[in-house]
Amino acid sequence: MRAVMKTIYVCSDTVTGIFSGIYDAWKAGMTEEECGIALKGMLEQQLFCDYVEVEETEHKAIAVEALIKKHLGRQAYWDIYHAVLSSDREKGDAVLGTMLAAKTLPDSTKIMEHLSHPKVEKVFELSRNVGGEAHALKGFLRFRELENGVLYARITPKAQVLTCLAPHFADRLPLENWMIHDKTHDMFVVHEAGKKWVLLWDELWNDMDGNLQFSEKEMEYERLWKGFCHTIAIESRENPRCQLQHLPLRFRPNMVEFDEKS
Amino acid sequence: MRIQESMTLYEKLNILTDAAKYDVACTSSGTSRKNDGTGMGSCEQSGICHSFSADGRCISLLKILFTNECIYDCKYCVNRRSNDVVRTSFTPDEVCMLTMEFYRRNYIEGLFLSSGILKSPDYTMELIYATLYKLRRECNFQGYIHVKAIPGANQELIQRVGFLADRMSVNLELPTAESLKMLAPHKTRKKILTPMRLVQTRMTENKQEIQLYRNAPRFVPAGQSTQMIIGATPETDYQIMQVAESLYQKFELKRVFYSAFVHVNEDSALPAKTDEGPPLLREHRLYQADWLLRYYHFQAGELLSEENPNFNVLFDPKCNWALKHLEQFPVEINRADYKMLLRVPGIGYKSAVRIVKARRLGSLDFQDLKKIGVVLKRALYFITCSGKMMYPTKIEEDYITRNLLDSGEKLPKEITNMGYRQLSLFDDVRFRENFYESSYENHICM
Ligand code: SF4
């Protein structure tokens, strides 16, 4: 008996990277047992595996996006896209497995209803978590006004949610200059008033938050807001456990109303 | 009455927030609107929570009173004219500035503007109108606005305000006309229902206008809500649910909010003050039942009756219903219709949808149900999968009651120390850890 060699496509932890990996695996026409996707820097070398470095291109990523949208539908694409943004090491495999499973269905657009399939279940769950974190941050993110009038927000999310947040704030604050800094992943979204937002990777900027100069008005509004948050609570209903359940501690360091000093 | 002339904005905000905090509605849901590119703000259908205060309630809107001056004397209210408290009012400019600057920093989804009655209902409504007009037309604010319609104000004025707001509400205050007479001597049921009806009628007309002219201005697009105080007067849960039901049916309200009575005034007409604090568990049960009316196709008369007029403290209303209707169980997961699935304890409405979809692809077993998010430890007494129960159990009220309680059906502790657990409402337990997911409306925002 001969062990089947499994081909593992190794790519970077980005949408382009993972979609490029899926592109290569899909092209090779292998079954779920014969191939897999692994992320650079999170590899666990195993026996009987061939590791192939993926050449990552926009072209491949766009092709995979189109493939998913066409065959699995937009809703499934939404789930897959969100799953790819998660911090889970096996997300690439889950997506690839889901796409392969969809091939076996008479109607592949129904794939996300197939929750008893472990890979589909995984994509579903990852997507829910990432979607949940993005939704939470739409509320919990705080902008602070810099001296030059630019609004600056720092977040430390688990998943790479910037591309989920950017369209939301671009729509909401079209006439403002703002930027959101994802400190976990060294990424930025920058929006110039009246223009489209752009996504940047830049480690150099990463220590900038120590030296930020805030506008004069900023402190005043922060004080007003803190006062509001404090006063709005009804004392006889105080319930820190319920507060904690809804607003986990990990979000609080980036929220002015939970900043003890000043 | 004390009116302080020179007051900082900080002090005003503090007073007018403090005076507004007993209003329970905070949701920013019910309408979705994109920015047109020329102003600031947008609305999300599901609403967004921006923070949570120490009482565990969601902060979504800048909830303030325009003024805490009031010519009325509602016995339960901090702002009633006979109370000796510091009075102040915002100017329309101040409200606009706070809203815009808070919104820009992503503190809030929008504004919730209520008010005491300054001089007269018309005078007050005028001020509110002037504020909203400025905010919408001069500041070009496109975020969410929830505003109170003041009973007794000119109809024309209320209508004009409705074209600037997303949601309007008129407080029912108390469940019955008698209670109202007792505790809010300047208000009558009729005065309250008139503007409610007006908003309803205008909304219906507006829907037709929009069908004809797509760009017709929108009137209260997020609908109308109301709230009533629970526990200040002797109504039973059954009476309260019947009132809520008829508000949903006859006035097409989007939401009815229940507000556990908080003792702020000493008054012989009010229940005596105790150490127990506001009746939170009762409020919680009412919210659960309210959900059953709106999303689970239940009717008030199924949940309670003249003989049995109050909710069970131990079990949520759905579980309680199931225990009293064991003849309808067990339900076969692979065959039961959607409405029956909704009635199974442990199956939430999202899980029910997932079950109906997933079983088309093959029959489901208990393992699948777990993945779908069904709370098996509760559901197992009421369901079969392909004819089999999960464990051999008796379908008997006492037996199930005992088992549910043994399996940590939490309550007794809650009853004593009032740990307020809103989420036990939603049966999709597996996803509960991640509450955001369960969409904002799911965890009741009060
Ligand atoms: S009308 Fe009644 S409830 Fe409203 S502010 Fe005045 S006293 Fe309070």
Side-chain angles (χ1 to χ4, degrees):
Chain A
M1 206 182 94
R2 198 168 62 93
V4 190
M5 273 304 248
K6 195 170 177 180
T7 309
I8 305 284
Y9 295 89
V10 183
C11 52
S12 66
D13 184 8
T14 59
V15 178
T16 307
I18 291 168
F19 278 5
S20 296
I22 289 173
Y23 182 94
D24 289 357
W26 192 261
K27 271 251 148 132
M30 288 184 273
T31 65
E32 216 187 307
E33 288 73 41
E34 292 165 342
C35 62
I37 307 280
L39 302 176
K40 255 181 231 166
M42 299 186 215
L43 262 186
E44 270 175 15
Q45 295 276 352
Q46 283 170 13
L47 287 175
F48 307 115
C49 285
D50 246 347
Y51 290 90
V52 184
E53 177 132 358
V54 172
E55 190 204 336
E56 300 174 9
T57 69
E58 274 311 312
H59 163 76
K60 288 180 183 174
I62 291 168
V64 168
E65 177 181 337
L67 180 80
I68 298 171
K69 281 185 180 159
K70 177 153 177 244
H71 295 287
L72 277 58
R74 287 185 173 268
Q75 183 54 44
Y77 179 73
W78 194 92
D79 282 327
I80 287 173
Y81 180 79
H82 281 79
V84 167
L85 298 177
S86 79
S87 58
D88 191 282
R89 219 164 26 147
E90 286 156 17
K91 58 193 181 182
D93 265 348
V95 171
L96 184 59
T98 299
M99 293 173 65
L100 289 167
K103 269 216 273 197
T104 66
L105 291 185
D107 178 358
S108 53
T109 61
K110 293 267 188 294
I111 184 64
M112 292 315 296
E113 290 166 20
H114 212 3
L115 285 179
S116 49
H117 189 290
K119 293 286 161 61
V120 177
E121 191 208 354
K122 174 124 192 184
V123 167
F124 179 72
E125 186 139 340
L126 293 178
S127 154
R128 293 172 83 87
N129 288 334
V130 174
E133 188 176 34
H135 181 76
L137 281 168
K138 282 182 188 174
F140 299 158
L141 174 148
R142 295 287 174 264
F143 284 113
R144 306 179 74 188
E145 189 185 60
L146 304 179
E147 241 175 356
N148 56 9
V150 172
L151 295 170
Y152 170 86
R154 182 188 59 204
I155 56 173
T156 40
K158 289 184 190 161
Q160 301 171 32
V161 292
L162 272 187
T163 52
C164 310
L165 298 177
H168 171 79
F169 287 106
D171 176 52
R172 180 161 278 213
L173 304 171
L175 305 179
E176 300 279 351
N177 297 309
W178 51 260
M179 61 197 291
I180 305 173
H181 177 187
D182 174 348
K183 249 195 126 171
T184 318
H185 305 95
D186 295 333
M187 290 159 82
F188 291 82
V189 160
V190 178
H191 175 272
E192 218 178 302
K195 299 203 180 139
K196 284 216 168 92
W197 55 271
V198 286
L199 185 64
L200 304 170
W201 276 263
D202 199 334
E203 289 167 38
L204 287 180
W205 281 12
N206 220 7
D207 340 302
M208 68 185 257
D209 44 312
N211 317 319
L212 294 173
Q213 294 294 325
F214 296 102
S215 73
E216 243 172 75
K217 283 263 179 258
E218 181 56 28
M219 295 309 142
E220 181 55 20
Y221 284 110
E222 288 183 8
R223 198 169 82 92
L224 286 164
W225 171 241
K226 284 182 188 179
F228 174 81
C229 290
H230 178 77
T231 311
I232 199 78
I234 299 177
E235 258 172 47
S236 57
R237 300 184 62 130
E238 202 148 293
N239 192 342
R241 212 181 67 194
C242 182
Q243 185 190 30
L244 186 65
Q245 198 172 23
H246 287 131
L247 178 37
L249 291 176
R250 70 185 176 95
F251 290 105
R252 300 189 188 181
N254 298 323
M255 300 172 77
V256 288
E257 64 269 36
F258 292 99
D259 183 6
E260 297 295 330
K261 40 180 204 313
S262 80
Chain B
M1 184 160 62
R2 290 185 278 156
I3 301 186
Q4 220 125 332
E5 282 308 328
S6 65
M7 210 183 268
T8 64
L9 188 58
Y10 185 86
E11 289 165 316
K12 274 194 188 183
L13 179 63
N14 189 30
I15 291 169
L16 294 170
T17 302
D18 198 48
K21 71 184 176 192
Y22 300 103
D23 216 297
V24 284
C26 86
T27 53
S28 51
S29 58
T31 188
S32 109
R33 177 168 58 236
K34 290 220 165 272
N35 191 291
D36 65 8
T38 67
M40 186 169 76
S42 59
C43 295
E44 292 255 314
Q45 188 64 35
S46 61
I48 295 178
C49 290
H50 285 255
S51 195
F52 285 85
S53 46
D55 51 15
R57 300 189 304 164
C58 144
I59 301 178
S60 182
L61 303 172
L62 170 63
K63 187 177 354 182
I64 46 176
L65 296 192
F66 187 84
T67 177
N68 66 341
E69 285 187 51
C70 193
I71 53 172
Y72 290 170
D73 203 41
C74 308
K75 306 225 186 312
Y76 47 80
C77 175
V78 240
N79 308 314
R80 63 177 187 169
R81 73 166 180 230
S82 55
N83 273 7
D84 180 29
V85 295
V86 181
R87 310 278 171 169
T88 185
S89 304
F90 280 125
T91 63
D93 278 325
E94 286 169 336
V95 175
C96 290
M97 187 177 70
L98 283 171
T99 308
M100 296 299 281
E101 292 295 337
F102 278 12
Y103 194 92
R104 264 183 98 216
R105 289 169 174 76
N106 204 41
Y107 297 165
I108 52 171
E109 262 322 88
L111 173 66
F112 178 116
L113 191 60
S114 180
S115 186
I117 317 290
L118 187 60
K119 295 198 176 120
S120 72
D122 278 349
Y123 186 84
T124 313
M125 207 70 219
E126 286 277 6
L127 281 169
I128 289 177
Y129 176 73
T131 308
L132 296 202
Y133 186 89
K134 207 171 188 65
L135 189 56
R136 284 288 194 224
R137 297 288 140 80
E138 285 172 32
C139 308
N140 205 343
F141 177 69
Q142 300 172 27
Y144 198 89
I145 299 181
H146 178 156
V147 72
K148 291 274 163 197
I150 310 279
N154 175 293
Q155 304 228 343
E156 166 64 28
L157 205 47
I158 292 180
Q159 287 194 45
R160 274 194 279 149
V161 170
F163 279 107
L164 299 172
D166 292 294
R167 174 167 287 183
M168 253 181 146
S169 56
V170 189
N171 285 353
L172 194 68
E173 309 291 7
L174 295 158
T176 58
E178 300 80 72
S179 297
L180 200 62
K181 203 184 279 167
M182 199 168 74
L183 296 188
H186 300 92
K187 295 179 178 169
T188 63
R189 190 62 155 218
K190 185 156 168 274
K191 261 201 211 157
I192 290 170
L193 295 181
T194 307
M196 223 184 244
R197 183 67 83 199
L198 173 75
V199 173
Q200 180 195 19
T201 317
R202 206 59 198 86
M203 277 171 65
T204 316
E205 290 166 5
N206 186 240
K207 286 202 185 95
Q208 291 162 358
E209 288 159 12
I210 289 164
Q211 268 177 358
L212 278 178
Y213 315 102
R214 255 197 56 224
N215 294 323
R218 278 162 174 59
F219 183 84
V220 193
Q224 183 174 200
S225 67
T226 192
Q227 67 163 344
M228 50 184 149
I229 299 167
I230 301 308
T233 46
E235 290 84 3
T236 62
D237 292 344
Y238 184 43
Q239 280 173 295
I240 294 167
M241 286 326 291
Q242 281 179 314
V243 172
E245 191 169 61
S246 73
L247 288 169
Y248 286 127
Q249 285 168 1
K250 303 205 179 102
F251 288 84
E252 299 170 274
L253 292 195
K254 200 79 178 212
R255 286 293 295 270
V256 175
F257 292 96
Y258 309 88
S259 151
F261 171 62
V262 179
H263 236 286
V264 288
N265 300 328
E266 279 312 327
D267 196 299
S268 58
L270 294 171
K273 193 164 180 160
T274 64
D275 293 338
E276 280 165 28
L280 296 180
L281 180 66
R282 184 170 182 211
E283 180 194 86
H284 181 52
R285 290 280 178 254
L286 288 166
Y287 275 110
Q288 290 181 312
D290 188 87
W291 269 78
L292 296 181
L293 297 188
R294 288 184 301 133
Y295 293 100
Y296 288 79
H297 302 276
F298 273 94
Q299 283 172 352
E302 290 180 278
L303 300 171
L304 296 168
S305 62
E306 296 285 351
E307 298 76 49
N308 230 331
N310 290 308
F311 288 116
N312 190 324
V313 282
L314 294 174
F315 293 113
D316 69 82
K318 184 163 116 178
C319 201
N320 197 45
W321 176 85
L323 287 169
K324 299 281 174 227
H325 293 84
L326 287 175
E327 73 286 352
Q328 306 197 23
F329 296 98
V331 161
E332 169 55 44
I333 290 294
N334 289 297
R335 268 199 321 272
D337 70 2
Y338 174 69
K339 280 196 184 171
M340 195 58 214
L341 289 175
L342 285 179
R343 297 193 163 215
V344 177
I347 300 185
Y349 73 101
K350 288 192 171 179
S351 310
V353 172
R354 282 186 213 119
I355 290 173
V356 172
K357 285 184 174 170
R359 71 188 180 187
R360 290 194 205 120
L361 298 160
S363 74
L364 303 176
D365 57 26
F366 289 99
Q367 210 42 45
D368 296 328
L369 291 185
K370 202 170 157 197
K371 286 184 188 167
I372 280 172
V374 173
V375 189
L376 284 176
K377 116 180 149 182
R378 201 181 300 179
L380 72 94
Y381 307 96
F382 305 96
I383 55 173
T384 56
C385 283
S386 311
K388 282 198 221 57
M389 296 200 81
M390 193 165 154
Y391 308 116
T393 73
K394 284 184 258 183
I395 304 203
E396 219 180 73
E397 189 179 343
D398 288 349
Y399 174 85
I400 300 176
T401 304
R402 203 164 353 101
N403 277 283
L404 282 174
L405 289 175
D406 285 350
S407 73
E409 192 71 16
K410 66 213 155 273
L411 275 182
K413 200 177 91 236
E414 264 192 83
I415 295 164
T416 45
N417 62 13
M418 281 301 168
Y420 186 47
R421 285 265 285 276
Q422 305 180 316
L423 281 167
S424 48
L425 244 182
F426 305 104
D427 289 333
D428 294 84
V429 134
R430 179 159 172 257
F431 305 115
R432 191 197 285 165
E433 296 104 58
N434 198 344
F435 84 94
Y436 322 105
E437 189 284 326
S438 56
S439 107
Y440 165 93
E441 272 266 34
N442 256 6
H443 62 279
I444 288 162
C445 241
M446 270 152 289

